Every structure is written in structure tokens, then in C-alpha cells.
Amino acid sequence: MRFGHDLESIFTLIYTWMTVEVTGQHLAPVVHAIDSEDCKRIREFHPKLYDPPELGAAIIEQIRILSEEGEEIGPLANPHQPH
């Protein structure tokens, strides 16, 4: 995993077959939860679906899944559409 400690606004999960790039705000708690294996899932914050978080809380603004060649694999499931 790569994490920008200074701004806490981006981290990257690196696998042999893909890379997951996560951007947002105050992401250190998310990174620590992943490192300690306490994180079961991550999801983007959508203001139309969720109440605003507390000031200073971690917010994931975008999750991009990239192939091992660096090309975007595709959008995640649309949270606005029913499953």
C-alpha cells in the first residue's frame, strides 16, 4: 500500500492483477483499519445518499480500479441504481 501521509488524501492498494486508488479527506483512519485488517469494505461518500459526516471524519470521495497496465477497469456499481 502507498499512502500520502502529509495530506491524508490518497492511498493506493496494489495487487498483482489490479490497483485500487482511493482519494478523499482525512484517510489515515481508513488506512490504519486496512493495515490492521479491521476494514471489511470501503465505499464512496455520496452526499445525496448519506448524511454529512462529522467535521474531520474520513471521507472517501472516489475509488478507481485500474488494471495492472494502469487502465481504468470500469466504474464501480452505481450506488444510485437498485441492486
Side-chain angles (χ1 to χ4, degrees), residues 1-3 9-13 20-22 27 30-31 34:
M1 177 183 322
R2 290 186 297 195
F3 175 53
S9 62
I10 186 168
F11 68 87
T12 306
L13 303 170
V20 180
E21 182 182 272
V22 180
L27 296 177
V30 178
V31 169
I34 291 169

Side-chain angles (χ1 to χ4, degrees), residues 5 11 14-16 23-24 27 45-46 64 68 73-74 83:
H5 291 277
F11 68 87
I14 302 166
Y15 301 94
T16 56
T23 56
L27 296 177
F45 172 73
H46 294 280
R64 293 180 58 218
E68 57 189 320
I73 291 176
H83 296 270

Side-chain angles (χ1 to χ4, degrees), residues 17-20 63-76:
W17 68 95
M18 71 175 178
T19 301
V20 180
I63 301 171
R64 293 180 58 218
I65 301 175
L66 307 169
S67 70
E68 57 189 320
E69 292 84 25
E71 298 175 10
E72 193 155 0
I73 291 176
L76 296 173

